Amino acid sequence: MQFLEYGINHDKTILFLHGGGLAPWNYKEEAMLLKEKYHILLPILDGHNGSDCGFTTIEDAAQHIIGYIDEHLGGKVFLIGGLSLGGQILVEVLSQRKDICQYAMIESSLILPMRATAQLIKLTFSFCYPLIKKRWFAKMQFAALHIQPTFFDEYYRDSSAISKADMISFLMANANYQMKHSLANCCTKALILIGSKEQDIMKKSAEIIHQTIRNSSLEVFPGFYHGDISINHPDLYVEKMYRLIEQL
């Protein structure tokens, strides 16, 4: 597994799992804010630019995260955060290992299958994939994602380097993913984050995750889009993290 690492001398480890089509820069500003107190790991998700293996399934990606934690971090970490695809992988990690972390931050994570969308992905991306490498097309995609402009060069570099097979694979996995019943056994204290301008199915997913994880809270951010919190508001994200871990 490939990753960026900060604060290596600290005992408490935090993992942040970036969104689909993005890269560790998704959480780099949070890492800068936290590296003086925590050991921060920003893994490159399977099938993304710089990863050492292709994307297969969300379940496999979760197993890779769990395997790394078991092998290198003593089987447990302090906190795991994840956005979108990274949040789905986090949900799956918590479903497979109920006590792998003390705290979790699950942002904008779909857990209700979108079968019709999934069926269109392969056809759509087989046609438009060549456009991914065009800078003008990337700018259109980037604008639709509501990401702060300073990240465009990183976004273009990393998204255009993803293979067609990997992109189709993780987009289909994202659309098809369904939360496991075993998530109800999760012992982690979790914060579920969602923007008010996200799709209704995303808001419903957040509510279901909140209802399923007993020791969790849900926060809706007025005026925020998908991924807005961690990507565009790192100070706010870190503030919410501290509130989560300081609650009695």
Side-chain angles (χ1 to χ4, degrees):
M1 178 172 290
Q2 305 298 313
F3 51 80
L4 301 183
E5 187 172 16
Y6 305 89
I8 59 174
N9 295 320
H10 300 297
D11 294 330
K12 292 181 178 178
T13 298
I14 295 174
L15 276 76
F16 289 127
L17 310 179
H18 64 78
L22 307 182
W25 51 260
N26 182 163
Y27 287 103
K28 190 171 181 179
E29 292 189 31
E30 282 86 350
M32 295 298 101
L33 293 169
L34 294 167
K35 67 179 183 177
E36 299 304 322
K37 293 184 66 175
Y38 298 99
H39 175 211
I40 310 296
L41 288 173
L42 306 181
I44 300 173
L45 297 184
D46 298 347
H48 288 72
N49 187 32
S51 66
D52 53 9
C53 65
F55 189 92
T56 52
T57 67
I58 286 171
E59 289 79 6
D60 285 347
Q63 274 292 312
H64 294 162
I65 297 294
I66 292 170
Y68 185 87
I69 292 172
D70 284 345
E71 183 176 354
H72 299 280
L73 300 168
K76 291 187 179 183
V77 294
F78 183 64
L79 183 146
I80 307 177
L83 164 65
S84 195
L85 178 66
Q88 291 173 309
I89 294 170
L90 172 52
V91 167
E92 183 62 28
V93 166
L94 297 175
S95 300
Q96 295 185 25
R97 184 75 68 80
K98 64 180 182 179
D99 58 351
I100 198 166
C101 56
Q102 290 180 247
Y103 303 97
M105 297 178 70
I106 303 167
E107 180 185 355
S108 302
S109 300
L110 180 68
I111 52 88
L112 297 169
M114 299 174 67
R115 306 295 189 198
T117 298
Q119 290 178 358
L120 292 172
I121 286 171
K122 190 170 184 178
L123 177 63
T124 302
F125 273 83
S126 293
F127 172 74
C128 73
Y129 177 76
L131 296 175
I132 298 295
K133 299 183 184 298
K134 304 293 185 181
R135 195 173 180 88
W136 63 266
F137 185 79
K139 285 185 176 180
M140 289 175 55
Q141 294 293 104
F142 185 79
L145 293 172
H146 304 281
I147 300 174
Q148 56 178 298
T150 54
F151 281 131
F152 175 73
D153 287 338
E154 288 92 340
Y155 169 80
Y156 178 60
R157 177 197 65 205
D158 293 318
S159 63
S160 63
I162 299 171
S163 73
K164 181 169 74 171
D166 279 325
M167 186 166 289
I168 290 173
S169 184
F170 72 69
L171 286 172
M172 289 184 67
N174 171 266
N176 280 318
Y177 183 68
Q178 188 165 12
M179 183 189 78
K180 311 298 189 299
H181 294 302
S182 55
L183 184 66
N185 300 323
C186 176
C187 301
T188 296
K189 185 176 183 181
L191 174 60
I192 320 303
L193 309 169
I194 193 75
S196 69
K197 292 194 173 183
E198 299 201 47
Q199 297 179 52
D200 287 343
I201 195 170
M202 298 299 300
K203 297 174 187 175
K204 187 173 181 180
S205 291
E207 292 174 1
I208 292 172
I209 296 170
H210 170 46
Q211 292 165 6
T212 303
I213 300 177
R214 287 168 292 178
N215 193 12
S216 70
S217 55
L218 170 64
E219 188 157 356
V220 180
F221 291 80
F224 279 37
Y225 293 92
H226 186 78
D228 218 342
I229 307 159
S230 61
I231 298 176
N232 297 328
H233 301 275
D235 291 317
L236 177 60
Y237 188 92
V238 169
E239 176 191 329
K240 298 300 179 183
M241 189 199 93
Y242 279 126
R243 289 188 182 182
L244 172 68
I245 65 179
E246 289 170 0
Q247 289 174 356
L248 298 178

